[in-house]
Amino acid sequence: MTSLDNDFCYSFPAVRGVQAGRPFYIATCPLRIIPKIFIYDEEEVPPELRAQRTLNKARIPEMSRYLVDNPDDYVFSALTASVGSDVSFVEQDNAPNIGTLKVSMNTSILINDGQHRRAAIEEAIKLKPELGQDNIAIVFYIDEGLNRSQQMFADLNQHAIRPSSSLSTLYDERDPGARVAKYLATSAKPFLGFTEMEKGSIPVKSNKIFALSAIKHATRALLAKGPKDDISDDEKEVALQFWECINDNMTEWLLVQEKKLAVSEFRQEYLTAHGIALQAIAIVGHQLLDFPEDKQIEKIKKFQAIDWRKSNPEWVKRAMMHGKLSKASSNIFLTALEIKRQLGLDLDQEDLQKEKDLLNT
């Protein structure tokens, strides 16, 4: 810490703490100031001379749009920054760890964690200037050189674990697909009581069949909806009716629901106990939704005659890679096309050529 009496400074209301014998400071800063004072280690610099990953510019529009679309209901976590030694902490009377952090305008402030948030804030303020009045928390560490900054980046990220796709779906009220998936998980016959709400994949000994995230992705495919597309109440009911009609014509699903087939055996032996089948059925379903209701039911009844066992040679070559089920888009496509064929649906010539190319590779 140094005296900054003769320097122009940034001043931040702050709280001082100690980690591993080193002081750090928690401050707040108006969003409008963030792009002006927080620099990013430019991507042209080789990685061994940087303390950050390169900026993934594709992430910025979505993060910026999140701020702009939810000005009264967004949450952005704190930025973490290293600041040069030209700082001082002015203690408040009778509160030695509460005061003002003064940072010389001549020193560098380098973001260790949060460069994408910083870039998103900059873009969002251009679109919605009033956001600049809001504040964000900053955790300041005193810069001890490149090696220490690189170690901080590694330490901050090595223990960061993203929540599973199902848990994110469960807690996400902004995503229309997530809301519909939760509705189906608690309303539709094939999913009620058989949905894994927290994990993205189903544990071996679980009595669940489908992950909540798989229901979300499949229903989006059924309705031909993108990740941010709205889903009307009518479309939600269309999805419910479709999955219940499929359920009534899916022999193994009914056997599991009647406790005549163990979930563990079902998952081990049948394709329809897995997300790839759900996704493929949804793709087929999108085509079926264009049919009159009586024609839909006629086609869906043919699901009863399909051999859904994993040992079926058609599924081995279409849904599996190296002996294991694959969620790759090519495997989902091949599986959906075979279902269409077995239902007697018209097949597009372009799809048939793509099928030929994939199966011959």
Side-chain angles (χ1 to χ4, degrees):
M1 303 289 285
T2 59
S3 174
L4 303 178
D5 293 341
N6 297 320
D7 278 355
F8 290 102
C9 300
Y10 298 112
S11 295
F12 303 94
V15 176
R16 178 171 56 189
V18 175
Q19 281 185 357
R22 296 180 175 90
F24 71 96
Y25 305 88
I26 303 172
T28 60
C29 179
L31 294 186
R32 68 180 184 278
I33 304 298
I34 295 297
K36 299 177 182 178
I37 64 174
F38 289 90
I39 65 172
Y40 169 64
D41 229 347
E42 297 298 334
E43 60 187 56
E44 288 79 9
V45 179
E48 64 272 16
L49 298 180
R50 279 191 266 111
Q52 256 291 8
R53 73 190 85 182
T54 56
L55 196 68
N56 181 354
K57 294 180 180 178
R59 293 180 57 192
I60 306 308
E62 181 177 359
M63 296 175 70
S64 174
R65 179 56 57 186
Y66 164 70
L67 289 173
V68 171
D69 289 348
N70 302 282
D72 300 319
D73 190 29
Y74 71 87
V75 179
F76 251 25
S77 57
L79 306 177
T80 301
S82 292
V83 61
S85 58
D86 294 335
V87 301
S88 67
F89 184 70
V90 181
E91 300 175 359
Q92 183 176 304
D93 293 342
N94 303 318
N97 290 318
I98 300 176
T100 302
L101 180 68
K102 293 189 174 183
V103 179
S104 171
M105 290 185 179
N106 295 319
T107 196
S108 62
I109 306 176
L110 179 67
I111 291 182
N112 297 104
D113 182 59
Q115 83 273 27
H116 290 92
R117 272 164 279 157
R118 176 214 171 277
I121 288 168
E122 183 174 13
E123 291 303 311
I125 290 173
K126 292 176 184 176
L127 298 169
K128 201 174 186 67
E130 55 267 35
L131 284 169
Q133 305 301 316
D134 286 1
N135 292 274
I136 192 169
I138 314 290
V139 181
F140 288 102
Y141 291 90
I142 304 301
D143 190 0
E144 297 180 24
L146 178 62
N147 287 343
R148 173 62 180 166
S149 291
Q150 289 176 334
Q151 187 62 56
M152 284 174 61
F153 175 80
D155 290 348
L156 286 166
N157 286 278
Q158 70 174 327
H159 300 300
I161 300 175
R162 291 180 61 86
S164 72
S165 54
S166 286
L167 191 61
S168 294
T169 298
L170 180 63
Y171 291 163
D172 192 349
E173 284 298 318
R174 301 188 198 282
D175 181 357
R179 294 198 299 268
V180 172
K182 286 181 279 189
Y183 168 72
L184 293 172
T186 56
S187 305
K189 293 175 185 176
F191 309 134
L192 184 58
F194 295 101
T195 300
E196 171 53 63
M197 306 292 273
E198 183 171 354
K199 298 180 176 65
S201 57
I202 311 297
V204 175
K205 297 182 179 180
S206 175
N207 63 350
K208 306 299 183 184
I209 300 173
F210 300 113
L212 183 63
S213 56
I215 299 173
K216 177 179 72 174
H217 294 311
T219 302
R220 278 179 180 162
L222 172 69
L223 300 173
K225 296 290 185 177
K228 299 300 181 183
D229 290 346
D230 197 17
I231 299 175
S232 68
D233 288 342
D234 287 344
E235 289 172 320
K236 183 171 71 171
E237 292 307 312
V238 166
L240 175 64
Q241 292 171 19
F242 172 80
W243 289 119
E244 295 210 326
C245 189
I246 293 292
N247 182 78
D248 292 341
N249 292 279
M250 196 69 76
T251 304
E252 289 77 29
W253 286 5
L254 295 172
L255 289 174
V256 171
Q257 292 161 24
E258 295 167 1
K259 302 189 185 305
K260 295 178 181 178
L261 176 64
V263 170
S264 57
E265 182 182 351
F266 179 41
R267 290 189 57 77
Q268 184 176 351
E269 300 292 335
Y270 292 93
L271 185 69
T272 45
H274 299 273
I276 180 176
L278 205 65
Q279 190 81 3
I281 291 168
I283 292 171
V284 176
H286 180 63
Q287 184 173 340
L288 291 174
L289 292 182
D290 289 334
F291 291 13
E293 185 176 349
D294 58 340
K295 189 72 170 178
Q296 282 185 44
I297 294 173
E298 176 189 327
K299 293 295 185 184
I300 290 175
K301 283 183 177 179
K302 294 186 178 183
F303 275 85
Q304 298 177 36
I306 297 176
D307 180 0
W308 293 107
R309 288 175 297 177
K310 292 181 189 177
S311 57
N312 181 341
E314 285 298 339
W315 307 139
V316 172
K317 67 183 181 181
R318 293 170 182 276
M320 296 186 180
M321 292 182 67
H322 310 298
K324 294 185 178 180
L325 290 177
S326 169
K327 295 179 183 178
S329 58
S330 57
N331 295 105
I332 294 171
F333 166 79
L334 288 170
T335 303
L337 201 65
E338 180 58 22
I339 296 172
K340 290 182 181 181
R341 183 177 285 115
Q342 296 202 33
L343 296 184
L345 298 177
D346 292 335
L347 303 180
D348 184 272
Q349 287 301 315
E350 186 176 334
D351 286 346
L352 289 172
Q353 183 59 52
K354 181 179 177 181
E355 176 188 45
K356 182 179 178 181
D357 293 341
L358 288 170
L359 291 178
N360 288 337
T361 55

